[in-house]
Amino acid sequence: MVSSTLELDWPEDWQRAAERGECLHCGNPLGRFWSPEDGPFCCRGCHGVYEMIHQEHLDRFYDLKPDSHSPAAALRPGNFDWLDALLAGVVDRPGPVRLDLDIQGVHCAACVWLIEELFKREDAGTQLRINSALGKVEVAWDTSRGDLKDFLAEVEKFGYRLGPPRKDGPRQSRALLMRMAVAIAMALNVMMFSLSYYFGLDAGDGSLYYFFGWLSLALATVSLIAGGGVFFKGALAGLRRRVLHLDVPISLGMILAYAGSVWGFLHGGPEQAYFDSLTVFIALMLVGRWAQEHILERNRNSLLDASGAENLTVKRLMDGEPDPLPATEVRQDDELWIAPGDLLPVAAILMRRQAEVSLDWITGESDRVTFVPGDTVPAGAFNLSDHGFAATSAEDFADSRLQDLLTTTSITDEEFRPRWWHRIAGWYVSAVLGAAVIGFAAWFGTGPTQALKVTISILVVTCPCALGLATPLAEELVHGALRRSGVFLRKSGFLEKALAVRSILLDKTGTLTMGDLVPDAASRSALSDLDGRARAVLHQMTARSNHPTSRCLARALRDLPADDDDERIAGPAGEDLTETPGAGLALALPDGLWRLGRPDFAADGPALPGRTLFTRDGAVLADLALSEEFKLDAADEVAFLHDQGYEIHLLSGDAQAKVDAAAAELGVPAELARGGLTPEAKAARVRALDHRDTLMVGDGLNDSPSFEAALCAATPAVDRPVLPGKADFFFLGDGIAAIRRSLQAAHHLRRVVRDNLAIAILYNVAAVGLCLAGLVTPVVAAIIMPVSSVTVVSFTALRLSGRRLAWTSSSPSSSSA
């Protein structure tokens, strides 16, 4: 593929990116399916954002960005109705309005610079502050000089999305950060005082000898209270649940090391204490704990908090004027105005005009459904008409079926831990405490002082500092590699739950497909062979319809080269178009009746699945075959996952015939492909399949109940509400490689942690043996312990810090290591 690109007339940077096999925008691997016609881009999102950046002369973005970052999101046009409610409370105040907003997609300094540059171009903008770590934006805007919605829409063209302020901020990691800062400050000061003893300060130097000792004792006490409290709390909580986890020996080590240091200081002077090792140990433990929380909060803040019903808005008619309000405030008998493309949040009675809606989020079917005045339109319907309609709500939002789909009741993820981890933690704690008891008993005959020294040495030297630091480091490195590949973990337990996954349940439309229909080669040829008049009529018909078939053909017509014989239909003739739901389009013109649709509608022939005819007075002008465009890597990724022993299921609300065809193309056994499933039926199927071993992947609201039924869940739908908030991870890009990457990352992490455990066991057996033999004093133990930690941490970093980890590859064949 690369060699063929060298013959293209590309800019030099395009050539270099293609030769390296990297996306020109994000720097991630291109994979095997990128097309020279489209350029060296890994997905549509990256290609679109790259073009926008160059069109707007924002090329400095590429000087500021890191070598690689997550792919750009291909977002649907946003709805800014929520902004009206925010502005309503501040727009009457003098001066610019000041708003706090949430933002998703900001990953680096280059992102911040780009948004700030766009803001500088707005006359109405007076101040902008972006906190990329929290996913927050503070904006000051003069509404008299410009519409803020226009600026938000411009920002979203570059792959960022803004929304109302709903994020709580990093409360847990911020509290840990404060404790960590205190512990580090205490450790640095104690180390400074300890250096004086190492360089020769002794009792003969007067009161300074004891003064530094008392200062070290005071600072170590502050460190123990401020830093150790995190682990004491965790240890007590575990003991109450009768669970022995690693906070127990960490806490015991801190307490006994402190007690031993105080005892040594009071009976033998400052040189018999080891406050420096204690405070460094506390600080390092907090660094590890903070790293675990920080990386998860960073991933959560990368996405808008759109996990509930409060993110939906609707317009209520008040004295004939539409007034936006949160969907949660809708009450029975409210008169609602549903504009084209809007969602109906409650069941409502249609008032005056016929309406065509899609139940795509509820049933998974994209076909239009027609309702007439007096009919009850179900909650969750999208208005596909070319006009708005009024409807009277038949229920409160609290009673709406949509409310059940929106309610987030996630798995108790934060408490999820695999059994092997509980067993190892229990064995470790029991072994450490047992060795300490044996050491005390064995040396008690020589006196309690020596017995206490041996006991403290055992507890200090066996403190799981290596595991407490190396495991969080390993998790952070894995998270970072996944982020660069466009995979964002939102729940801490996923990398552990992923080890249990045996069945992968895939939605079809939008998950395995690109979401649009595509004509085959013969159909494109048939369109190209149409004369100018036929092209003009077909263009008018498809341009005035929102049906997926019409959108597909409209795009195909636009892509055809211009023809001198092409005609244009003048005047309002095209407005006479009629559309028969489930059948097709008809347009009566002086030169005949033109139809586009099913064969039995367009030409009185037999209905043929997947066939669409374009006719004039019954004569066939084009026989078109349209199909869903599967993501380019879907078949390869599904095959690889199957070869790795995963059972692949296809679950969809689409017709069974379409699901069977998709299963055949992807190599999924027919008996594992189910179509025509309602959200409840799909969730029931997931529950039947789940033995605490399923991963559900979907992108529609109809998948929401299934997410709750599965062990873990994932979604590519970063621009839709609800699902990302329920998912264990979300992913960007045009493929499904994220499924493989996340599962392989979990198994790689387990291997690293397992190897670290093996090293820790060998180290502890040797160290405890030396302690029991009386060869290791508490001071020596305090030196050995951090040395072992540095060794294991370095080993972990070496195995996980490589940029080209096998499982980040875009090709499944090269990631099976």
Side-chain angles (χ1 to χ4, degrees):
M1 181 68 73
V2 172
S3 61
S4 65
T5 66
L6 299 179
E7 303 173 1
L8 298 175
D9 185 20
W10 275 2
E12 185 178 346
D13 56 340
W14 287 46
Q15 292 277 9
R16 287 198 301 268
E19 291 168 1
R20 293 194 305 267
E22 296 177 351
C23 176
L24 189 58
H25 175 70
C26 70
N28 282 297
L30 287 174
R32 296 187 296 120
F33 299 106
W34 70 278
S35 169
E37 290 85 12
D38 296 330
F41 299 98
C42 67
C43 63
R44 294 175 300 171
C46 285
H47 193 178
V49 171
Y50 178 88
E51 290 186 346
M52 285 293 300
I53 286 175
H54 282 274
Q55 289 171 10
E56 298 295 330
H57 306 291
L58 296 168
D59 306 74
R60 188 164 180 260
F61 172 89
Y62 294 103
D63 297 327
L64 298 173
K65 79 175 188 70
D67 291 338
S68 65
H69 56 86
S70 57
L75 301 177
R76 306 181 184 195
N79 184 324
F80 301 112
D81 286 345
W82 53 266
L83 187 59
D84 296 331
L86 290 181
L87 290 173
V90 296
V91 73
D92 294 332
R93 300 175 187 173
V97 298
R98 297 184 177 275
L99 298 174
D100 292 325
L101 305 177
D102 288 350
I103 189 169
Q104 77 177 40
V106 177
H107 305 300
C108 60
C111 297
V112 175
W113 174 85
L114 189 149
I115 298 171
E116 289 177 344
E117 285 298 307
L118 292 175
F119 188 77
K120 291 176 183 177
R121 301 179 181 184
E122 300 291 336
D123 293 335
T126 59
Q127 188 177 50
L128 181 75
R129 294 178 180 174
I130 301 174
N131 187 324
S132 58
L134 301 183
K136 294 279 189 181
V137 175
E138 297 177 19
V139 60
W141 187 268
D142 187 347
T143 55
S144 65
R145 302 177 64 185
D147 191 342
L148 182 55
K149 290 182 180 180
D150 293 338
F151 170 68
L152 301 187
E154 182 69 14
V155 170
E156 293 198 352
K157 292 178 183 178
F158 292 86
Y160 309 104
R161 174 140 288 176
L162 293 105
R166 304 195 189 281
K167 298 176 184 176
D168 293 330
R171 296 179 180 177
Q172 180 68 14
S173 69
R174 182 173 293 175
L176 285 171
L177 185 64
M178 294 298 296
R179 290 176 179 268
M180 185 177 71
V182 171
I184 291 175
M186 299 300 103
L188 290 174
N189 281 279
V190 172
M191 285 294 297
M192 181 176 64
F193 297 140
S194 298
L195 285 175
S196 61
Y197 300 118
Y198 298 144
F199 287 115
L201 182 66
D202 56 31
D205 293 316
S207 60
L208 193 63
Y209 176 76
Y210 289 100
F211 179 66
F212 281 177
W214 284 108
L215 281 178
S216 297
L217 171 60
L219 294 175
T221 304
V222 172
S223 180
L224 184 71
I225 295 172
V230 173
F231 303 95
F232 301 156
K233 182 179 179 180
L236 289 173
L239 292 174
R240 289 193 191 100
R241 297 197 303 268
R242 298 183 179 180
V243 174
L244 288 175
H245 54 69
L246 292 180
D247 279 356
V248 175
I250 290 175
S251 300
L252 283 175
M254 289 179 180
I255 292 171
L256 290 179
Y258 176 80
S261 294
V262 172
W263 182 88
F265 170 66
L266 295 177
H267 291 83
E271 292 179 275
Q272 296 302 311
Y274 30 93
F275 294 122
D276 50 351
S277 295
L278 170 64
T279 53
V280 169
F281 171 57
I282 294 173
L284 290 177
M285 288 294 96
L286 281 172
V287 169
R289 188 60 55 87
W290 172 81
Q292 288 177 313
E293 285 295 329
H294 174 69
I295 190 66
L296 287 168
E297 288 181 349
R298 184 181 175 192
N299 283 347
R300 294 184 189 118
N301 289 331
S302 295
L303 196 68
L304 293 182
D305 185 8
S307 59
E310 69 278 359
N311 295 285
L312 298 176
T313 60
V314 68
K315 293 182 175 68
R316 180 174 56 191
L317 292 174
M318 301 292 292
D319 299 325
E321 294 294 325
D323 179 36
L325 80 161
T328 52
E329 297 181 13
V330 173
R331 298 293 180 265
Q332 185 175 356
D333 297 327
D334 282 347
E335 187 171 356
L336 308 176
W337 176 256
I338 309 301
D342 278 0
L343 175 75
L344 180 64
V346 294
I349 300 171
L350 190 62
M351 298 297 290
R352 291 175 283 277
R353 297 189 65 178
Q354 175 177 301
E356 294 178 346
V357 303
S358 166
L359 303 181
D360 145 78
W361 271 25
I362 301 301
T363 66
E365 290 280 2
S366 58
D367 294 338
R368 289 176 172 236
V369 180
T370 301
F371 292 88
V372 298
D375 286 349
T376 298
V377 184
F382 275 102
N383 181 12
L384 296 184
S385 306
D386 58 0
H387 58 79
F389 63 81
T392 301
S393 59
E395 59 189 354
D396 292 352
F397 181 79
D399 301 322
S400 169
R401 182 190 185 194
L402 192 64
Q403 169 74 353
D404 296 332
L405 295 178
L406 289 167
T407 301
T408 301
T409 54
S410 59
I411 302 170
T412 55
D413 174 83
E414 304 307 325
E415 297 182 1
F416 183 93
R417 288 293 182 273
R419 294 177 182 175
W420 67 268
W421 183 258
H422 281 307
R423 288 198 299 268
I424 288 174
W427 293 342
Y428 187 91
V429 174
S430 300
V432 168
L433 295 179
V437 170
I438 291 172
F440 186 85
W443 285 88
F444 189 78
T446 62
T449 299
Q450 182 60 27
L452 184 60
K453 284 184 177 181
V454 171
T455 303
I456 292 174
S457 297
I458 292 173
L459 290 171
V460 170
V461 84
T462 58
C463 272
C465 185
L467 298 180
L469 279 176
T471 300
L473 174 64
E475 291 179 351
E476 182 161 5
L477 290 173
V478 167
H479 277 260
L482 287 172
R483 280 174 64 90
R484 289 192 297 272
S485 300
V487 183
F488 295 78
L489 304 187
R490 299 191 75 254
K491 297 184 179 180
S492 63
F494 172 74
L495 290 173
E496 294 165 345
K497 288 189 286 187
L499 302 175
V501 170
R502 297 294 178 268
S503 298
I504 301 174
L505 318 179
L506 301 172
D507 176 49
K508 180 176 69 71
T509 305
T511 300
L512 294 171
T513 71
M514 302 298 288
D516 295 317
L517 296 174
V518 291
D520 62 14
S523 299
R524 290 193 293 270
S525 178
L527 292 174
S528 180
D529 291 340
L530 293 174
D531 61 33
R533 174 63 178 174
R535 280 197 198 185
V537 173
L538 184 57
H539 171 75
Q540 284 291 326
M541 296 173 71
T542 56
R544 295 175 182 273
S545 170
N546 286 323
H547 193 275
T549 297
S550 299
R551 294 199 302 268
C552 168
L553 294 177
R555 285 194 307 272
L557 289 171
R558 287 196 300 270
D559 292 339
L560 291 176
D563 193 315
D564 294 337
D565 295 331
D566 283 356
E567 298 182 13
R568 294 289 182 268
I569 297 180
E575 296 180 7
D576 295 330
L577 178 76
T578 60
E579 182 167 351
T580 303
L585 308 175
L587 179 60
L589 295 174
D591 58 350
L593 178 61
W594 303 75
R595 291 179 183 268
L596 174 71
R598 290 176 7 187
D600 56 342
F601 169 80
D604 296 326
L608 300 174
R611 311 299 296 187
T612 298
L613 299 184
F614 177 46
T615 66
R616 181 174 65 180
D617 294 331
V620 177
L621 302 178
D623 185 351
L624 308 170
L626 308 180
S627 61
E628 291 180 297
E629 181 184 10
F630 283 91
K631 294 179 177 179
L632 293 177
D633 66 348
D636 278 4
E637 293 290 343
V638 167
F640 178 82
L641 292 169
H642 182 269
D643 291 343
Q644 293 297 303
Y646 294 102
E647 188 174 74
I648 310 298
H649 292 257
L650 198 56
L651 306 178
S652 176
D654 219 338
Q656 185 65 50
K658 294 181 180 179
V659 176
D660 290 340
E665 183 165 343
L666 297 173
V668 176
E671 63 272 14
L672 302 183
R674 295 289 185 92
L677 299 174
T678 64
E680 293 79 9
K682 185 183 287 189
R685 180 62 179 162
V686 173
R687 280 190 289 271
L689 293 170
D690 183 55
H691 303 288
R692 300 292 289 169
D693 64 352
T694 56
L695 168 63
M696 176 69 198
V697 187
D699 78 316
L701 188 59
N702 59 306
D703 296 312
S704 179
S706 301
F707 273 34
E708 298 176 11
L711 172 67
C712 46
T715 182
V718 298
D719 61 341
R720 288 190 175 188
V722 183
L723 287 189
K726 292 187 175 185
D728 291 75
F729 70 90
F730 61 93
F731 54 94
L732 307 176
D734 285 344
I736 62 168
I739 302 171
R740 164 180 54 84
R741 288 170 179 156
S742 61
L743 294 173
Q744 288 187 318
H747 285 276
H748 190 183
L749 177 64
R750 182 183 67 171
R751 289 195 295 272
V752 172
V753 172
R754 183 182 58 201
D755 292 347
N756 287 347
L757 283 171
I759 294 172
I761 290 172
L762 292 175
Y763 156 78
N764 280 293
V765 169
V768 169
L770 294 174
C771 291
L772 290 174
L775 300 176
V776 178
T777 66
V779 175
V780 174
I783 296 173
I784 294 176
M785 180 264 294
V787 171
S788 70
S789 302
V790 171
T791 302
V792 177
V793 166
S794 300
F795 179 65
T796 300
L798 185 64
R799 296 184 64 183
L800 287 171
S801 60
R803 184 183 171 198
R804 296 301 188 197
L805 293 166
W807 43 265
T808 64
S809 169
S810 59
S811 173
S813 60
S814 60
S815 66
S816 56

